[in-house]
Amino acid sequence: MPSEATNEPFDAEVIVVGAGPVGLTTGCAMRHYGVDCLILEERTEVRAYSRANNLWARPQELLASIGLRDAIAERAYPVRLVNFFMNGTPTTPIQIDDVTSPHPQVLYSGQDVIETTLIETYEGRGGRMQRGGKVVAVA
Ligand SMILES: Cc1cc2nc3c(=O)[nH]c(=O)nc-3n(C[C@H](O)[C@H](O)[C@H](O)COP(=O)(O)OP(=O)(O)OC[C@H]3O[C@@H](n4cnc5c(N)ncnc54)[C@H](O)[C@@H]3O)c2cc1C
């Protein structure tokens, strides 16, 4: 994959395009297994707002298997119960931690917080990231 700026190829075992939650998790997984990884991201900064908020039991189990779940949990609120109100009157609460899992509670956080945590972990594991360039072709 040549770099537009230098026309030199990038040197990495795996190149991931995009530093959203999926790309960053992939990068962290690569580093967890000792694979040399380079992430290319066109944004120069982490998004300053959230889009995804909730991590349910199954994704937490997957994240735990590559050593990511606890770092995210440290910056999240564990949720056991959801309360609904109808015209100001509370309705029956819904329990959401009644799932068989080592991590039954839902972790409530923000995508900006999750991305920042994943970047810190990825870089702490020796992952490389280059920002500010859009990938336009892969050869
Ligand atoms: C309003 C809104 C609310 C949402 N709420 C929730 C929620 O409550 N719970 C939930 O689970 N999900 C929610 N989502 C969905 C969640 O945000 C996405 O599923 C998640 O962001 C997908 O992650 P991703 O890494 O695949 O993509 P993205 O987060 O979109 O990341 C892709 C990255 O790739 C980069 N990129 C793309 N093309 C290139 C290129 N050619 N070269 C270099 N870089 C490139 C982009 O700049 C971006 O940073 C919501 C989404 C929106 C829009």
Side-chain angles (χ1 to χ4, degrees), residues 56 81-96:
W56 296 79
L81 204 65
V82 177
N83 291 300
F84 290 96
F85 292 83
M86 195 174 287
N87 297 325
T89 305
T91 60
T92 308
I94 298 177
Q95 188 186 349
I96 58 171

Side-chain angles (χ1 to χ4, degrees), residues 17-23 40-43 47 51-54 111 115 133-136:
V17 180
V22 172
L40 302 175
E41 167 58 57
E42 65 177 318
R43 284 184 289 133
R47 281 194 194 92
R51 296 191 297 171
N53 294 316
N54 294 321
Q111 190 166 331
E115 284 186 15
K134 181 174 181 147
V135 174
V136 292

Side-chain angles (χ1 to χ4, degrees), residues 67-115:
L68 292 177
R69 185 261 170 200
D70 290 350
I72 292 172
E74 279 172 21
R75 297 176 180 176
Y77 299 98
V79 182
R80 302 177 178 83
L81 204 65
V82 177
N83 291 300
F84 290 96
F85 292 83
M86 195 174 287
N87 297 325
T89 305
T91 60
T92 308
I94 298 177
Q95 188 186 349
I96 58 171
D97 68 347
D98 55 350
V99 52
T100 306
S101 169
H103 312 292
Q105 297 166 0
V106 174
L107 293 181
Y108 183 88
S109 174
Q111 190 166 331
D112 49 336
V113 176
I114 291 171
E115 284 186 15

Side-chain angles (χ1 to χ4, degrees), residues 3-67:
S3 152
E4 199 180 330
T6 63
N7 215 24
E8 292 294 318
F10 291 107
D11 186 12
E13 285 179 89
V14 171
I15 293 177
V16 175
V17 180
V22 172
L24 289 167
T25 301
T26 304
C28 287
M30 290 296 126
R31 292 306 304 144
H32 179 74
Y33 292 109
V35 177
D36 177 39
C37 183
L38 172 67
I39 298 181
L40 302 175
E41 167 58 57
E42 65 177 318
R43 284 184 289 133
T44 55
E45 304 285 342
V46 173
R47 281 194 194 92
Y49 54 89
S50 177
R51 296 191 297 171
N53 294 316
N54 294 321
L55 269 179
W56 296 79
R58 300 303 174 229
Q60 286 184 61
E61 291 168 17
L62 288 173
L63 291 169
S65 73
I66 50 172

